[in-house]
Amino acid sequence: MAAMTPRQRKLALTAHVAASVGWLGAVAAFLALAAVGMTGQNAQTTRAMYMAMEVTGWYVIVPLAAASLLTGVISALGTTWGLLRYYWVVVKLVITVLATILLLVHMGPVSYVAGLAAGPDWSAGDHAGLAGQLVIQSGAAMLVLLVAAVLSVYKPQGLTRYGRRKRQQQRTVPPTDGVGAR
């Protein structure tokens, strides 16, 4: 991919930050819903929490995760950071891919419990183990997304082998100044 113009870089970075921060915020809301669903004493409130978790997951969190992944790849490919040149970018890519895959796997149980909550035979106590699992997984997702955010801000040094090779190639290619070229 060709290098982006400064305006394109800012647009890509803005889209990536918005999607990533949105993802983190949506997971925080999901965690709150899961905690209330797990500890709620009122059956109607508990039902509502699980049904809201499904909607939040499929219509907010999943699209934001996909957008974060896509905009991150676009940003990396269009800038000097590159996708595979720096360890922090590679680690962040791996975190984002794995978190997105695990999110999709996680949405199965969320949809299951939301379907049960919508049914006439709902009993929150019957699904306490699943409720605890949703809280733990949401908390873990928050931690993972915070690690990705820290990597984005601090950008620890460290070129990958590929990054070192690319840097060496850039140093050995003489700059073109346009003189003599027609």
Side-chain angles (χ1 to χ4, degrees):
M1 180 178 226
M4 292 185 209
T5 66
R7 179 179 229 137
Q8 290 169 328
R9 275 194 307 275
K10 285 180 182 178
L11 179 63
L13 179 61
T14 300
H16 181 62
V17 168
S20 300
V21 169
W23 186 9
L24 182 63
V27 170
F30 187 96
L31 176 58
L33 291 170
V36 170
M38 185 175 87
T39 61
Q41 302 300 316
N42 180 310
Q44 289 304 100
T45 300
T46 304
R47 279 178 188 251
M49 294 303 108
Y50 288 117
M51 291 187 290
M53 287 166 57
E54 182 182 35
V55 171
T56 302
W58 285 117
Y59 296 104
V60 181
I61 300 173
V62 169
L64 286 170
S68 178
L69 179 59
L70 179 65
T71 58
V73 168
I74 290 169
S75 290
L77 290 174
T79 65
T80 56
W81 290 113
L83 191 59
L84 302 173
R85 291 182 184 194
Y86 291 86
Y87 284 112
W88 74 268
V89 177
V90 173
V91 170
K92 196 172 163 206
L93 175 64
V94 169
I95 286 171
T96 305
V97 168
L98 289 176
T100 302
I101 291 168
L102 290 173
L103 168 63
L104 293 172
V105 169
H106 176 77
M107 286 308 300
V110 171
S111 291
Y112 173 75
V113 76
L116 292 175
D121 298 327
W122 169 255
S123 172
D126 294 344
H127 309 290
L130 185 56
Q133 176 187 342
L134 294 173
V135 169
I136 290 167
Q137 290 173 344
S138 302
M142 288 287 300
L143 270 170
V144 167
L145 294 174
L146 287 170
V147 167
V150 167
L151 287 171
S152 295
V153 172
Y154 287 96
K155 297 175 179 51
Q157 296 300 310
L159 287 168
T160 63
R161 255 189 258 172
Y162 172 77
R164 286 190 297 274
R165 195 168 53 249
K166 281 295 204 182
R167 180 177 278 174
Q168 187 61 33
Q169 288 171 354
Q170 288 172 342
R171 288 181 182 162
T172 59
V173 175
T176 59
D177 60 3
V179 176
R182 296 272 170 196

